Amino acid sequence: MFPIRDHNPSGRTPYVTYGLILANVAIFLSYWGLFGDPRALNAFFDRWALFPAHIAEGYGYSGILTSMFLHGGLMHLLGNMLFLFIFGDNIEDALGHVRYLLFYLAAGVAAALLQFVADPTSTVPTVGASGAIAGVMGAYLLMFPKARVDILIILIIIFKVLPVPAWLLLAVWFGMQIFSGIGSAGAEGGVAYWAHVGGFLAGIAMIAPVWLARGGPAFWSRTHGTPPHPEARYVMSRTHVPRAGRRNNGSGRKGPWSRH
């Protein structure tokens, strides 16, 4: 299951969120051709990705920042950008454009640092925006815990869209990161779980002053943990696809027909 949209409209155009999405896509496309050449791709990541072992040896610090704009594949990119698109606009609305950009980058740095602490000898390149986006998700949890988020549930051939409160989705996601992080070493299996945990916790910590300035629990009481403006509503309607059947074709026999 994964989120496809929220019901929490933004009060202003999220220019920074859109800019971050465009930057991630553009950077990914700039080295897309290297995926056909593993040696060239490894050389590229060796220069720009985060290597905990390099940090432990006293170099490669730039990877803490640059790694959050790299992705290991198309699905990795699309998944991260979907989460950023869903949750980013509301945190940008709450913080303002400049503070939100600084918040995003700081969450990404915090995520990279916790990944380093979790496995400082790892020579596996760490890439992805998910640590920074986890910070956005942590902030969303504190600010709008009861905002409705639509999740798509796929069970083999069954597809179901189900609205759930944000706190449920985000709490389950965070719990899965901790559980998976404990059960794996560093970025084993291709996922840097502790980077997700670090970004999420950093996001909560950094948004907390804003939440407190708005009244803390009193802010939740005023808004009921939902957006401070009318929520967006989506209506699932049936498609108007003509139905095909059989009718009498005038010759005493029934034949096929269709209506366009």
Coordinates of all heavy atoms in Angstrom, one line a residue, residues 1-2 83 168-184 191-194 196-197 200:
M1 N 0.8 -1.2 0.0 CA 0.0 0.0 0.0 C 0.9 1.2 0.0 O 2.0 1.2 0.6 CB -0.9 0.0 1.2 CG -0.2 0.2 2.6 SD -1.4 0.3 3.9 CE -0.3 0.6 5.3
F2 N 0.5 2.3 -0.7 CA 1.2 3.5 -0.7 C 0.3 4.7 -0.9 O -0.8 4.5 -1.5 CB 2.3 3.5 -1.7 CG 1.8 3.2 -3.1 CD1 1.5 4.2 -4.0 CD2 1.8 1.9 -3.6 CE1 1.0 3.9 -5.3 CE2 1.3 1.6 -4.9 CZ 1.0 2.6 -5.7
F83 N 6.0 11.0 -2.7 CA 5.9 11.4 -1.3 C 6.1 12.9 -1.1 O 5.4 13.5 -0.3 CB 6.9 10.5 -0.5 CG 6.3 9.2 0.0 CD1 6.2 8.2 -1.0 CD2 6.0 9.0 1.3 CE1 5.7 6.9 -0.6 CE2 5.5 7.7 1.7 CZ 5.4 6.7 0.7
L168 N -1.9 7.6 11.1 CA -1.8 6.2 11.0 C -0.8 5.7 9.9 O 0.0 4.9 10.1 CB -3.2 5.6 10.6 CG -3.3 4.1 10.4 CD1 -2.9 3.3 11.7 CD2 -4.8 3.7 10.0
L169 N -0.9 6.4 8.7 CA 0.0 6.0 7.6 C 1.4 6.3 8.0 O 2.3 5.5 7.9 CB -0.4 6.9 6.4 CG 0.6 6.8 5.3 CD1 0.7 5.4 4.6 CD2 0.3 7.8 4.2
L170 N 1.7 7.5 8.6 CA 3.0 7.9 8.9 C 3.6 7.1 10.1 O 4.8 6.8 10.1 CB 3.1 9.4 9.2 CG 2.7 10.3 8.0 CD1 2.6 11.7 8.4 CD2 3.7 10.1 6.8
A171 N 2.8 6.8 11.1 CA 3.3 6.0 12.2 C 3.6 4.6 11.8 O 4.6 4.0 12.2 CB 2.2 6.0 13.3
V172 N 2.8 4.0 10.9 CA 3.1 2.7 10.4 C 4.4 2.7 9.6 O 5.2 1.8 9.7 CB 1.9 2.1 9.6 CG1 2.3 0.9 8.8 CG2 0.7 1.8 10.5
W173 N 4.5 3.7 8.7 CA 5.7 3.8 7.9 C 6.9 4.0 8.8 O 8.0 3.3 8.5 CB 5.6 5.0 7.0 CG 6.8 5.2 6.1 CD1 7.0 4.7 4.9 CD2 7.9 6.0 6.4 NE1 8.2 5.1 4.4 CE2 8.8 5.9 5.3 CE3 8.3 6.8 7.5 CZ2 10.0 6.6 5.2 CZ3 9.5 7.5 7.4 CH2 10.4 7.4 6.3
F174 N 6.9 4.8 9.8 CA 8.0 5.0 10.7 C 8.4 3.7 11.5 O 9.5 3.4 11.6 CB 7.7 6.2 11.7 CG 8.9 6.5 12.6 CD1 10.1 7.0 12.0 CD2 8.8 6.3 13.9 CE1 11.1 7.3 12.9 CE2 9.8 6.6 14.8 CZ 11.0 7.1 14.2
G175 N 7.3 3.1 11.9 CA 7.6 1.8 12.6 C 8.3 0.8 11.7 O 9.1 0.0 12.2
M176 N 7.9 0.7 10.5 CA 8.5 -0.2 9.6 C 10.0 0.1 9.3 O 10.8 -0.8 9.2 CB 7.7 -0.2 8.2 CG 6.3 -0.8 8.3 SD 5.4 -0.6 6.7 CE 6.5 -1.5 5.6
Q177 N 10.3 1.4 9.3 CA 11.7 1.8 9.1 C 12.6 1.3 10.3 O 13.7 0.8 10.2 CB 11.8 3.3 9.0 CG 11.0 3.9 7.9 CD 11.0 3.1 6.6 OE1 12.1 3.0 6.0 NE2 9.9 2.7 6.1
I178 N 12.0 1.5 11.5 CA 12.8 1.1 12.7 C 12.9 -0.4 12.7 O 14.0 -0.9 13.0 CB 12.1 1.6 14.0 CG1 12.1 3.1 14.1 CG2 12.7 1.0 15.2 CD1 11.4 3.7 15.3
F179 N 11.8 -1.1 12.5 CA 11.9 -2.6 12.5 C 12.8 -3.1 11.5 O 13.7 -4.0 11.7 CB 10.5 -3.1 12.2 CG 10.4 -4.6 12.2 CD1 10.3 -5.4 13.4 CD2 10.3 -5.3 11.0 CE1 10.3 -6.7 13.3 CE2 10.3 -6.6 10.9 CZ 10.2 -7.4 12.1
S180 N 12.8 -2.5 10.3 CA 13.7 -3.0 9.2 C 15.1 -2.6 9.5 O 16.0 -3.3 9.2 CB 13.2 -2.4 7.9 OG 11.9 -2.8 7.5
G181 N 15.3 -1.4 10.1 CA 16.7 -1.0 10.4 C 17.3 -1.9 11.4 O 18.5 -2.2 11.3
I182 N 16.6 -2.3 12.4 CA 17.1 -3.2 13.5 C 17.4 -4.5 12.8 O 18.4 -5.2 13.2 CB 16.1 -3.4 14.6 CG1 15.9 -2.0 15.4 CG2 16.5 -4.5 15.6 CD1 14.8 -2.1 16.4
G183 N 16.6 -5.0 11.9 CA 16.8 -6.3 11.3 C 17.8 -6.3 10.2 O 18.1 -7.4 9.6
S184 N 18.4 -5.2 9.8 CA 19.4 -5.1 8.7 C 20.6 -4.4 9.2 O 20.7 -3.7 10.2 CB 18.8 -4.5 7.5 OG 18.6 -3.1 7.7
V191 N 18.4 -0.4 1.0 CA 17.6 0.7 1.7 C 18.3 1.1 2.9 O 18.7 0.4 3.8 CB 16.2 0.1 2.1 CG1 15.4 1.2 2.8 CG2 15.4 -0.4 0.9
A192 N 18.5 2.5 3.0 CA 19.2 3.1 4.2 C 18.1 3.4 5.2 O 17.7 4.6 5.3 CB 20.0 4.3 3.8
Y193 N 17.6 2.4 6.0 CA 16.5 2.6 6.9 C 16.8 3.7 7.9 O 15.9 4.5 8.3 CB 16.1 1.3 7.6 CG 15.6 0.3 6.6 CD1 16.3 -0.8 6.3 CD2 14.3 0.4 6.0 CE1 15.8 -1.8 5.4 CE2 13.8 -0.5 5.2 CZ 14.6 -1.6 4.9 OH 14.1 -2.6 4.0
W194 N 18.1 3.7 8.4 CA 18.4 4.7 9.5 C 18.4 6.1 9.0 O 18.2 7.0 9.8 CB 19.7 4.3 10.2 CG 19.5 3.0 11.0 CD1 20.1 1.8 10.7 CD2 18.6 2.7 12.1 NE1 19.7 0.8 11.6 CE2 18.8 1.4 12.5 CE3 17.8 3.6 12.8 CZ2 18.1 0.8 13.5 CZ3 17.1 3.0 13.9 CH2 17.2 1.6 14.2
H196 N 16.2 7.2 7.0 CA 14.8 7.5 7.1 C 14.4 7.9 8.5 O 13.7 8.9 8.7 CB 13.9 6.3 6.6 CG 14.1 5.9 5.2 ND1 13.6 4.7 4.7 CD2 14.8 6.5 4.2 CE1 14.0 4.7 3.4 NE2 14.7 5.7 3.1
V197 N 14.9 7.1 9.4 CA 14.6 7.3 10.8 C 15.1 8.7 11.3 O 14.5 9.5 11.9 CB 15.1 6.2 11.7 CG1 15.0 6.6 13.2 CG2 14.4 4.9 11.4
F200 N 13.2 11.6 9.7 CA 11.8 11.7 10.3 C 11.9 12.4 11.7 O 11.1 13.3 12.0 CB 11.2 10.3 10.4 CG 9.8 10.3 10.7 CD1 8.8 10.3 9.7 CD2 9.3 10.2 12.0 CE1 7.5 10.2 9.9 CE2 7.9 10.2 12.3 CZ 7.0 10.2 11.2

